[in-house]
Amino acid sequence: MSTSTAVENKHKEAQDFMPINGTDYLELYVSNSKQAAYYYKTAFGFKSLAYKGLETGSREFESYVIEQDKIRLVLTSPLKSGTDVGRHVDKHGDGVKVTALWVDDATYAYEEAMKRGAKSYMVPVTEKDDHGKVVRSGIYSYGEVVHVFVERKDYKGTFLPGYEKWKCDYQPTSTGLKFVDHMVGNVNEGKMNYWVDFYANVMGFKQIMSFDDKDISTDFTALMSKVMSNGNGRIKFPINEPAPGKKKSQVDEYLEFYEGEGVQHIAVATDDIVKTVADLKNRGVEFLTIPTTYYDVLTDRVGEIDEDIESLRKLGILVDRDDEGYLLQIFTKTVQARPTMFFEIIQRKGATSFGKGNFKALFEAIEREQELRGTL
Ligand code: FE2
């Protein structure tokens, strides 16, 4: 693979002792779950799925669950002061708390992870309602992020026990987002290899790629990244750490404003990025822009592609190629008050990499945003 550099042998093969079927849901702790749900529905094309709150007997927290194809987001806010969710929001702003992984046996996954050195977040708990039962367990990852294992083979309900179907007449049309392609974490300087080892040793993931500051640097900023993947490749977690640069890197800025390690971006896949991005723009989603000169040399860099270059130029969609094919990608601006989390929209046409050829153009675009914020 042209975009991968040396892969350490010890992490080459995934030991798939913990088979994961896919991402079950992502739960964000936010300051206003009701308005966040409206934003994601309106701007990104999610639909109402399930609800938990005062009306369902939940006195402390309110959660709205929205979905689009295989993507499920849970947006949770506290209903009173002094809660752990409220403390999380006060410290970090809005952000991802739970990456839930869909497994066949949540008790087994938990026990295997614990045996290998995980820190427990939630012992296996069985929850039941009229639609069956769900078993969930959880372990800590970087920062305050947790992985919750979800076993739902005996459940026929809308989402999880404790939630009711969220009946809502307002159901925006989809923008074509299909599934979570990868989810990137920012960790403290010097901690990337610690978390690479965690995913290898505790969860049986393998390292599929690595980038260092020679790959990912501009005049001002640098970062290093390693990509961890589970055995079947459905879960991919790149881990970034800042590398010393002349000024503050985007990872440094994230760590400062998030006040710790956390999820930097969620990449969601589409089958038609031109249509999806045009739609998202019409709905008010803001994207990073790159100089249109990027497109003057695009064909020289990536060869022939199916898409019309003029459409890509108009929308600011980036292209990169590896040995297996090419990919198209674009990045939103950060989506909450703090300059922390953002989304990537990605369409893969064979390529299994992450757009290394775009890093420079992309980072310069981020730096222009950082400059406006006075953090560069
Ligand atoms: Fe990405």
Side-chain angles (χ1 to χ4, degrees):
M1 220 173 290
S2 66
T3 51
S4 72
T5 51
V7 172
E8 291 161 38
N9 278 333
K10 64 173 177 170
H11 298 327
K12 223 171 187 172
E13 293 306 322
Q15 310 161 272
D16 221 351
F17 54 79
M18 193 194 289
I20 300 169
N21 302 319
T23 305
D24 194 282
Y25 63 89
L26 299 175
E27 181 169 15
L28 283 70
Y29 284 177
V30 298
S31 60
N32 190 333
S33 54
K34 192 172 201 168
Q35 290 189 4
Y38 177 80
Y39 168 75
Y40 284 111
K41 284 174 65 180
T42 304
F44 284 84
F46 284 84
K47 285 184 166 59
S48 299
L49 179 68
Y51 169 79
K52 182 165 83 173
L54 292 172
E55 295 82 350
T56 69
S58 170
R59 309 300 300 177
E60 287 199 354
F61 308 111
E62 181 174 67
S63 295
Y64 290 87
V65 188
I66 53 176
E67 78 173 341
Q68 187 168 179
D69 207 320
K70 292 193 171 66
I71 311 161
R72 276 195 293 243
L73 298 183
V74 182
L75 302 153
T76 298
S77 289
L79 292 166
K80 59 183 214 181
S81 64
T83 66
D84 193 52
V85 175
R87 181 205 52 77
H88 193 282
V89 172
D90 183 47
K91 182 172 173 64
H92 302 296
D94 293 4
V96 173
K97 172 63 183 177
V98 179
T99 308
L101 304 171
W102 173 30
V103 297
D104 292 332
D105 188 335
T107 306
Y108 176 76
Y110 177 83
E111 281 168 359
E112 287 299 309
M114 291 303 289
K115 222 188 323 186
R116 290 167 163 84
K119 185 178 158 205
S120 177
Y121 171 67
M122 178 180 170
V123 297
V125 174
T126 303
E127 295 157 297
K128 292 179 187 165
D129 66 12
D130 296 346
H131 306 287
K133 65 166 191 174
V134 172
V135 185
R136 289 193 301 161
S137 59
I139 59 168
Y140 278 96
S141 180
Y142 49 79
E144 291 200 71
V145 176
V146 298
H147 294 311
V148 167
F149 301 114
V150 184
E151 172 190 329
R152 54 168 70 254
K153 59 180 183 293
D154 300 319
Y155 194 65
K156 299 270 181 297
T158 307
F159 178 55
L160 290 173
Y163 286 81
E164 285 183 5
K165 195 172 170 49
W166 178 12
K167 294 190 188 95
C168 181
D169 292 334
Y170 178 57
Q171 299 287 27
T173 52
S174 160
T175 58
L177 302 177
K178 301 227 167 255
F179 58 89
V180 175
D181 183 277
H182 60 275
M183 194 189 77
V184 181
N186 280 340
V187 302
N188 291 327
E189 190 174 341
K191 282 291 185 197
M192 177 181 66
N193 285 328
Y194 175 89
W195 289 107
V196 164
D197 288 345
F198 167 86
Y199 280 107
N201 299 335
V202 172
M203 298 189 66
F205 284 28
K206 63 180 169 181
Q207 186 187 322
I208 56 170
M209 243 163 260
S210 99
F211 312 101
D212 61 22
D213 47 345
K214 283 177 242 20
D215 299 316
I216 317 184
S217 68
T218 63
D219 288 346
F220 297 117
T221 66
L223 68 86
M224 297 192 284
S225 189
K226 286 184 178 173
V227 183
M228 302 305 288
S229 168
N230 78 321
N232 60 21
R234 290 185 200 168
I235 306 294
K236 291 187 283 290
F237 291 151
I239 315 232
N240 297 333
E241 74 169 31
K246 287 186 191 127
K247 291 194 180 174
K248 186 182 289 177
S249 82
Q250 49 168 302
V251 180
D252 289 317
E253 187 195 42
Y254 177 99
L255 295 168
E256 181 187 323
F257 279 92
Y258 200 69
E259 297 191 17
E261 302 175 333
V263 172
Q264 180 211 37
H265 75 265
I266 300 165
V268 285
T270 169
D271 288 340
D272 186 347
I273 197 166
V274 171
K275 191 160 174 278
T276 293
V277 171
D279 198 355
L280 291 169
K281 280 199 164 180
N282 282 334
R283 295 163 185 242
V285 176
E286 295 182 303
F287 292 93
L288 292 175
T289 55
I290 47 144
T292 57
T293 49
Y294 172 91
Y295 297 93
D296 298 342
V297 293
L298 185 61
T299 311
D300 295 341
R301 191 166 66 76
V302 301
E304 289 302 319
I305 55 170
D306 302 334
E307 292 72 18
D308 167 39
I309 305 260
E310 228 8 77
S311 306
L312 302 182
R313 186 201 300 263
K314 219 175 94 202
L315 294 165
I317 294 165
L318 310 174
V319 190
D320 197 25
R321 186 177 281 280
D322 64 23
D323 292 347
E324 291 161 273
Y326 68 96
L327 62 83
L328 304 110
Q329 61 186 170
I330 189 168
F331 298 84
T332 71
K333 293 186 179 179
T334 54
V335 292
Q336 59 288 303
R338 301 191 198 187
T340 50
M341 196 185 77
F342 57 89
F343 284 84
E344 171 182 352
I345 315 298
I346 185 166
Q347 182 179 3
R348 294 186 180 278
K349 293 193 136 179
T352 53
S353 50
F354 295 85
K356 181 175 139 181
N358 290 322
F359 288 167
K360 195 173 165 60
L362 178 66
F363 288 4
E364 284 166 356
I366 292 174
E367 283 162 17
R368 284 193 293 277
E369 297 287 314
Q370 282 188 275
E371 231 158 22
L372 294 173
R373 293 193 281 262
T375 59
L376 185 67

Tab-separated table of all heavy atoms in Angstrom, residues 43 54 73 88-89 92 116 133 142 145 151 171 190 197 200 206 209 213 216-218 256 266 269 286 304 321:
chain	number	residue	atom	x	y	z
A	43	ALA	N	-29.492	19.249	9.193
A	43	ALA	CA	-28.289	19.521	8.406
A	43	ALA	C	-27.711	18.256	7.759
A	43	ALA	O	-27.223	18.305	6.636
A	43	ALA	CB	-27.233	20.181	9.298
A	54	LEU	N	-37.940	12.471	30.549
A	54	LEU	CA	-38.929	12.545	31.633
A	54	LEU	C	-40.171	11.703	31.324
A	54	LEU	O	-40.679	10.993	32.192
A	54	LEU	CB	-39.331	14.003	31.865
A	54	LEU	CG	-38.222	14.894	32.440
A	54	LEU	CD1	-38.650	16.359	32.439
A	54	LEU	CD2	-37.821	14.443	33.845
A	73	LEU	N	-26.783	7.885	16.077
A	73	LEU	CA	-26.217	8.824	17.043
A	73	LEU	C	-27.173	8.951	18.221
A	73	LEU	O	-28.387	9.067	18.027
A	73	LEU	CB	-26.025	10.213	16.422
A	73	LEU	CG	-25.078	10.371	15.237
A	73	LEU	CD1	-24.990	11.851	14.835
A	73	LEU	CD2	-23.687	9.820	15.547
A	88	HIS	N	-19.111	16.293	32.375
A	88	HIS	CA	-18.413	15.992	31.114
A	88	HIS	C	-18.582	17.145	30.122
A	88	HIS	O	-17.621	17.586	29.482
A	88	HIS	CB	-18.984	14.689	30.545
A	88	HIS	CG	-18.197	14.073	29.426
A	88	HIS	ND1	-18.246	14.520	28.132
A	88	HIS	CD2	-17.324	13.028	29.423
A	88	HIS	CE1	-17.454	13.776	27.378
A	88	HIS	NE2	-16.881	12.865	28.129
A	89	VAL	N	-19.825	17.644	30.013
A	89	VAL	CA	-20.099	18.740	29.067
A	89	VAL	C	-19.391	20.015	29.530
A	89	VAL	O	-18.839	20.767	28.726
A	89	VAL	CB	-21.619	18.963	28.914
A	89	VAL	CG1	-21.898	20.225	28.104
A	89	VAL	CG2	-22.275	17.759	28.247
A	92	HIS	N	-15.552	19.319	28.675
A	92	HIS	CA	-15.151	19.074	27.279
A	92	HIS	C	-15.965	19.832	26.238
A	92	HIS	O	-15.580	19.853	25.069
A	92	HIS	CB	-15.267	17.583	26.958
A	92	HIS	CG	-14.448	16.693	27.849
A	92	HIS	ND1	-13.073	16.739	27.885
A	92	HIS	CD2	-14.810	15.740	28.748
A	92	HIS	CE1	-12.624	15.839	28.761
A	92	HIS	NE2	-13.654	15.235	29.296
A	116	ARG	N	-7.055	-8.919	29.467
A	116	ARG	CA	-5.895	-8.354	28.761
A	116	ARG	C	-5.540	-6.958	29.240
A	116	ARG	O	-4.778	-6.250	28.579
A	116	ARG	CB	-6.161	-8.355	27.258
A	116	ARG	CG	-6.173	-9.745	26.670
A	116	ARG	CD	-6.732	-9.757	25.268
A	116	ARG	NE	-6.381	-10.978	24.560
A	116	ARG	CZ	-7.053	-12.116	24.663
A	116	ARG	NH1	-8.108	-12.198	25.455
A	116	ARG	NH2	-6.669	-13.186	23.994
A	133	LYS	N	-34.155	-8.806	25.110
A	133	LYS	CA	-33.092	-8.365	26.027
A	133	LYS	C	-31.839	-7.951	25.270
A	133	LYS	O	-31.558	-8.416	24.163
A	133	LYS	CB	-32.773	-9.468	27.036
A	133	LYS	CG	-32.180	-10.712	26.403
A	133	LYS	CD	-31.567	-11.615	27.473
A	133	LYS	CE	-30.748	-12.711	26.790
A	133	LYS	NZ	-29.993	-13.560	27.669
A	142	TYR	N	-9.022	6.048	25.443
A	142	TYR	CA	-8.285	7.288	25.707
A	142	TYR	C	-9.213	8.371	26.277
A	142	TYR	O	-10.409	8.393	26.001
A	142	TYR	CB	-7.583	7.789	24.440
A	142	TYR	CG	-8.468	7.844	23.210
A	142	TYR	CD1	-9.366	8.883	23.015
A	142	TYR	CD2	-8.409	6.839	22.250
A	142	TYR	CE1	-10.177	8.932	21.892
A	142	TYR	CE2	-9.211	6.871	21.126
A	142	TYR	CZ	-10.097	7.919	20.963
A	142	TYR	OH	-10.907	7.951	19.859
A	145	VAL	N	-13.289	8.721	26.819
A	145	VAL	CA	-14.045	7.936	25.829
A	145	VAL	C	-14.157	6.493	26.306
A	145	VAL	O	-13.206	5.948	26.871
A	145	VAL	CB	-13.341	7.979	24.449
A	145	VAL	CG1	-14.056	7.088	23.438
A	145	VAL	CG2	-13.253	9.417	23.946
A	151	GLU	N	-24.707	-6.458	22.804
A	151	GLU	CA	-25.175	-7.764	22.292
A	151	GLU	C	-26.681	-7.672	22.147
A	151	GLU	O	-27.391	-7.534	23.129
A	151	GLU	CB	-24.783	-8.849	23.303
A	151	GLU	CG	-25.360	-10.216	23.008
A	151	GLU	CD	-25.129	-11.186	24.175
A	151	GLU	OE1	-24.114	-11.062	24.896
A	151	GLU	OE2	-25.994	-12.047	24.376
A	171	GLN	N	-39.251	14.382	9.525
A	171	GLN	CA	-38.256	13.366	9.171
A	171	GLN	C	-37.569	13.768	7.864
A	171	GLN	O	-38.007	13.394	6.782
A	171	GLN	CB	-38.924	11.984	9.007
A	171	GLN	CG	-39.621	11.463	10.258
A	171	GLN	CD	-38.651	11.002	11.341
A	171	GLN	OE1	-37.518	11.468	11.426
A	171	GLN	NE2	-39.089	10.103	12.196
A	190	GLY	N	3.268	11.946	22.912
A	190	GLY	CA	3.976	10.811	23.522
A	190	GLY	C	3.078	9.651	23.898
A	190	GLY	O	3.551	8.636	24.416
A	197	ASP	N	-0.745	0.212	21.444
A	197	ASP	CA	-0.562	-1.041	22.186
A	197	ASP	C	-1.855	-1.485	22.857
A	197	ASP	O	-2.164	-2.671	22.897
A	197	ASP	CB	0.541	-0.871	23.251
A	197	ASP	CG	1.930	-0.779	22.627
A	197	ASP	OD1	2.055	-1.130	21.430
A	197	ASP	OD2	2.866	-0.347	23.320
A	200	ALA	N	-4.020	-3.079	20.258
A	200	ALA	CA	-3.441	-4.358	19.834
A	200	ALA	C	-3.598	-5.410	20.925
A	200	ALA	O	-4.089	-6.511	20.685
A	200	ALA	CB	-1.970	-4.166	19.482
A	206	LYS	N	-5.083	-4.756	14.749
A	206	LYS	CA	-3.767	-4.693	14.127
A	206	LYS	C	-3.525	-3.281	13.614
A	206	LYS	O	-4.475	-2.552	13.291
A	206	LYS	CB	-3.668	-5.681	12.970
A	206	LYS	CG	-4.625	-5.384	11.841
A	206	LYS	CD	-4.519	-6.373	10.702
A	206	LYS	CE	-5.687	-6.178	9.741
A	206	LYS	NZ	-5.697	-7.078	8.618
A	209	MET	N	-1.584	1.078	9.266
A	209	MET	CA	-0.926	2.202	8.612
A	209	MET	C	-0.266	3.096	9.648
A	209	MET	O	-0.697	3.121	10.796
A	209	MET	CB	-1.975	3.051	7.895
A	209	MET	CG	-1.799	3.111	6.409
A	209	MET	SD	-3.303	3.699	5.651
A	209	MET	CE	-4.015	2.162	5.123
A	213	ASP	N	5.677	12.751	11.184
A	213	ASP	CA	5.655	14.192	10.909
A	213	ASP	C	6.263	14.533	9.551
A	213	ASP	O	6.060	15.623	9.046
A	213	ASP	CB	6.314	14.982	12.049
A	213	ASP	CG	7.633	14.371	12.463
A	213	ASP	OD1	7.893	13.216	12.094
A	213	ASP	OD2	8.390	15.043	13.166
A	216	ILE	N	3.011	14.239	7.512
A	216	ILE	CA	1.942	15.139	7.907
A	216	ILE	C	2.527	16.383	8.534
A	216	ILE	O	2.556	16.524	9.744
A	216	ILE	CB	0.983	14.466	8.927
A	216	ILE	CG1	0.667	13.024	8.505
A	216	ILE	CG2	-0.297	15.271	9.050
A	216	ILE	CD1	-0.328	12.321	9.390
A	217	SER	N	3.036	17.270	7.722
A	217	SER	CA	3.498	18.512	8.325
A	217	SER	C	3.410	19.643	7.306
A	217	SER	O	3.439	19.429	6.105
A	217	SER	CB	4.934	18.369	8.829
A	217	SER	OG	5.808	18.220	7.742
A	218	THR	N	3.252	20.819	7.829
A	218	THR	CA	3.265	22.031	7.020
A	218	THR	C	4.353	22.900	7.623
A	218	THR	O	5.108	22.449	8.482
A	218	THR	CB	1.912	22.760	7.125
A	218	THR	OG1	1.749	23.158	8.489
A	218	THR	CG2	0.762	21.869	6.722
A	256	GLU	N	-6.266	21.353	23.833
A	256	GLU	CA	-6.452	22.512	24.709
A	256	GLU	C	-7.941	22.805	24.909
A	256	GLU	O	-8.414	22.972	26.028
A	256	GLU	CB	-5.752	23.732	24.105
A	256	GLU	CG	-5.874	24.969	24.966
A	256	GLU	CD	-5.329	26.225	24.280
A	256	GLU	OE1	-4.315	26.109	23.559
A	256	GLU	OE2	-5.930	27.305	24.466
A	266	ILE	N	-15.323	11.979	13.010
A	266	ILE	CA	-16.065	10.784	12.643
A	266	ILE	C	-16.192	10.827	11.125
A	266	ILE	O	-16.705	11.801	10.573
A	266	ILE	CB	-17.472	10.794	13.278
A	266	ILE	CG1	-17.378	10.855	14.815
A	266	ILE	CG2	-18.274	9.574	12.833
A	266	ILE	CD1	-18.684	11.239	15.477
A	269	ALA	N	-19.416	7.286	5.459
A	269	ALA	CA	-19.289	6.898	4.056
A	269	ALA	C	-20.555	7.200	3.275
A	269	ALA	O	-21.664	7.136	3.806
A	269	ALA	CB	-18.986	5.401	3.973
A	286	GLU	N	-21.085	23.429	6.904
A	286	GLU	CA	-19.912	24.186	6.433
A	286	GLU	C	-18.703	23.269	6.316
A	286	GLU	O	-18.421	22.473	7.213
A	286	GLU	CB	-19.583	25.294	7.429
A	286	GLU	CG	-20.672	26.352	7.519
A	286	GLU	CD	-20.273	27.438	8.484
A	286	GLU	OE1	-19.994	27.126	9.667
A	286	GLU	OE2	-20.222	28.605	8.060
A	304	GLU	N	-6.855	9.240	-14.026
A	304	GLU	CA	-8.262	9.387	-14.430
A	304	GLU	C	-9.200	8.941	-13.317
A	304	GLU	O	-8.966	7.921	-12.666
A	304	GLU	CB	-8.529	8.541	-15.686
A	304	GLU	CG	-7.886	9.089	-16.956
A	304	GLU	CD	-8.326	10.508	-17.293
A	304	GLU	OE1	-9.528	10.806	-17.138
A	304	GLU	OE2	-7.468	11.317	-17.707
A	321	ARG	N	-5.206	8.670	-4.182
A	321	ARG	CA	-5.121	7.326	-4.751
A	321	ARG	C	-4.113	6.496	-3.972
A	321	ARG	O	-3.115	7.026	-3.490
A	321	ARG	CB	-4.701	7.418	-6.230
A	321	ARG	CG	-4.718	6.087	-6.966
A	321	ARG	CD	-4.356	6.246	-8.430
A	321	ARG	NE	-5.432	6.737	-9.270
A	321	ARG	CZ	-6.434	5.975	-9.751
A	321	ARG	NH1	-6.522	4.709	-9.440
A	321	ARG	NH2	-7.350	6.510	-10.537
